[in-house]
Amino acid sequence: MIGTKGKVVAVNGNMVSVRFNGAVSMNEVGYVKVADKRLKSEVIRIRGEISQLQVFEITKGISVGDSVEFTGEMLAVELGPGLLGKVYDGLQNPLPELAKAAGHFLERGVYLDPLEKNQEWEFTPVAKAGDKVERADTLGTVPEGAFTHRIMVPFGLLGTYTVVKIKKAGKYKLKDTIAELKDSKGKIYPVKMSFVWPVKRAVDCYEERLKPEEPMVTRVRLVDTFFPVARGGTYCIPGPFGAGKTVLQQITSRFADVDIVIVAACGERAGEVVETLKEFPELKDERTGRSLMERTIIICNTSSMPVAAREASVYTAVTLAEYYRQMGLDVLLLADSTSRWAQAMREMSGRLEEIPGEEAFPAYLESTIASFYERAGIVRLKDGAIGSVTIGGTVSPAGGNFEEPVTQATLKVVGAFHGLSRERSDARKFPAIHPMDSWSKYKGIIEAEKVAYAHNFMRRGFEVEQMMKVVGEEGTSIEDYVIYLKGELIDSVYFQQNSFDEVDAAVKPERQIYTFLKLLNILASKFTFPDKNEARIWFNRLRQKFLDYNGSKWQDTRFKQLEKDIEDAVKSQSKGIDKTAEKFLA
Ligand SMILES: Nc1ncnc2c1ncn2[C@@H]1O[C@H](COP(=O)(O)OP(=O)(O)OP(=O)(O)O)[C@@H](O)[C@H]1O
Ligand SMILES: [Mg+2]
């Protein structure tokens, strides 16, 4: 029921308890009135005639007796053309506009239209009068940047409708009615180019969910070759403070092979967010030659904003992702960092005095994290088009301890795990994804047996390295020492990638496949050296050549020359190929 009213009976941090009369439902939005402001809040518990609301704003000044208005509506986002390129806070307030209207970054109680109501869009009808339609069916299209944005039957309209009227091709504003639909009882529903959808409900207007199988190429070698992410799949990047989670996500957001990227920066440092905001519009998208921002949406809640807003930003982001998936597009959602969201959950749970689980996180931490990642997926739409949402979330475990509840809960649901290592980031080995701790259940761009062969060398290399720390180099056999050097070689020329090098920063799959084979050939070659010193010198020289090779333009003369140098060096030193590798090197 709309219009339920209440009064604040208690304030506890960002949670207020409200006595209400009438009907109130879970996740309903209410506004707490304080002075001349209305602070947006969400119902998170109802007990008899008392409900608890989490306030998305700083609660300063709220006192017992203040009035509360319930809206009868769930926390929702507006979906329609014009979302791309926007920077929003967790409540879908456009930030630049907000800054303009409020004078500074954020002023509480100011809520703006997420989409510009007066902007005109070039509408082309697809449906015609008399057509029978259901939710998510395409009524028409408008061009949005490089994409064809489908104007769909609002997802909340259940059942079958008849198109009574539809506008002819032309320019319309978001506030214009572009179609009229009639239900079986003859009731008319005017449809505009945008509509709202509750953020906590997954959009499920598709025919079927498919198995995520095709790799979503990120152009990060360690990811695509060793720990791949599938289109429509999920992955997590846990890493200690400063290990490179944010940088890795930024690289991914630029180069991943998807149509649209949604970045949810929840609870990151304000400075970092401002930096992203400044940097992104200047970055070029090499696929389109246009600003990267034109296919990006940024949702940001800095750590200085109230915790409840972090939660909202995660849900807002995934809902926008699902919306574009309904247009047959591939969307990548990057959430940084989900730990801050989990901390917000912990704080609220504490205020609700719920029985705490491990490390005081709520008992429902796992199921909440699981249901967030479950919103990823590759789907077949009713018209046969395929769309996907891939979700990658960073986790920042205290002290870099992956045993903590948020990392563990995330691990249980994701398909790939890119664990960042303090040791590697301290040694400036970037990306600092740990090649031993990380894993993926997805198929990558290179056959599994080849990858396993290389991975095995790396593992043995690590083992020799550990052993050498104990027995010293003198106590290590030359054979083991060569294995160690081979392991080192993979690490420095394949795992590590120089994000500041124009060529090496992002490597296309065909080049990864090509150079990986070159590397395999080296690994499988039987080398003999008179002593360790000679071996080290030879490998050092080879490594340097390989790094130059990595930095040279694909297939240009320098690339070919360096490749020949490498091959000649290997040929003159090799005493044959390891038997097990023969079949895939042939
Ligand atoms: N791929 C990379 N190449 C070069 N330098 C990097 C790379 N990744 C990270 N760094 C360096 O490490 C620093 C910290 O990285 P980043 O901010 O991504 O860490 P983080 O894990 O997000 O930290 P926090 O836990 O504080 O959010 C960067 O400022 C940069 O100097
Ligand atoms: Mg970070």
Side-chain angles (χ1 to χ4, degrees), residues 239-248 251 268-269 272 336 340 396 420 428 430-431 497 499-500:
F241 176 74
K245 299 179 289 294
T246 304
V247 172
L248 186 56
I251 295 170
E268 286 309 290
R269 290 177 297 279
E272 207 168 87
D336 186 20
R340 311 254 189 274
S396 17
L420 300 191
R428 306 208 61 77
F430 290 117
Q497 211 167 325
S499 60
F500 299 108

Side-chain angles (χ1 to χ4, degrees), residues 246-461:
T246 304
V247 172
L248 186 56
Q249 285 211 331
Q250 279 168 353
I251 295 170
T252 311
S253 65
R254 287 181 64 178
F255 298 111
D257 181 21
V258 291
D259 297 309
I260 288 164
V261 177
I262 300 180
V263 179
C266 43
E268 286 309 290
R269 290 177 297 279
E272 207 168 87
V273 172
V274 170
E275 204 142 285
T276 310
L277 298 190
K278 276 199 291 211
E279 193 185 336
F280 257 68
E282 286 161 21
L283 292 176
K284 274 247 156 57
D285 175 11
E286 66 165 67
R287 301 198 300 177
T288 57
R290 294 150 72 144
S291 162
L292 191 62
M293 204 54 211
E294 285 184 29
R295 59 179 192 91
T296 309
I297 306 172
I298 297 177
I299 314 289
C300 75
N301 273 99
T302 67
S303 45
S304 55
M305 299 179 192
V307 294
R310 296 178 195 170
E311 186 192 50
S313 62
V314 172
Y315 287 106
T316 294
V318 72
T319 310
L320 299 185
E322 289 171 327
Y323 177 59
Y324 280 97
R325 175 171 68 186
Q326 285 299 134
M327 297 173 209
L329 297 172
D330 292 316
V331 188
L332 171 64
L333 165 58
L334 298 169
D336 186 20
S337 137
T338 60
S339 293
R340 311 254 189 274
W341 164 41
Q343 284 158 9
M345 256 188 266
R346 173 161 67 184
E347 222 175 293
M348 271 309 149
S349 170
R351 298 225 163 96
L352 288 170
E353 293 173 8
E354 291 169 337
I355 298 165
E358 216 183 320
E359 288 188 25
F361 283 105
Y364 47 81
L365 175 79
E366 259 185 34
S367 61
T368 307
I369 288 178
S371 50
F372 167 66
Y373 282 99
E374 275 161 17
R375 291 176 73 168
I378 179 159
V379 302
R380 192 166 53 82
L381 303 173
K382 264 172 49 189
D383 66 354
I386 307 282
S388 68
V389 170
T390 308
I391 302 183
T394 70
V395 185
S396 17
N401 169 23
F402 293 172
E403 297 307 314
E404 59 85 46
V406 183
T407 313
Q408 287 302 314
T410 310
L411 264 181
K412 282 187 191 154
V413 293
V414 293
F417 178 82
H418 302 159
L420 300 191
S421 127
R422 154 92 325 130
E423 209 185 336
R424 290 181 72 82
S425 69
D426 280 351
R428 306 208 61 77
K429 294 181 177 173
F430 290 117
I433 299 171
H434 201 288
M436 299 301 293
D437 295 347
S438 304
W439 50 260
S440 168
K441 294 175 185 166
Y442 301 121
K443 214 170 81 196
I445 57 170
I446 294 173
E447 297 87 323
E449 61 167 357
K450 291 184 189 168
V451 175
Y453 188 81
H455 200 265
N456 190 38
F457 262 99
M458 178 209 64
R459 186 184 50 75
R460 287 164 64 200

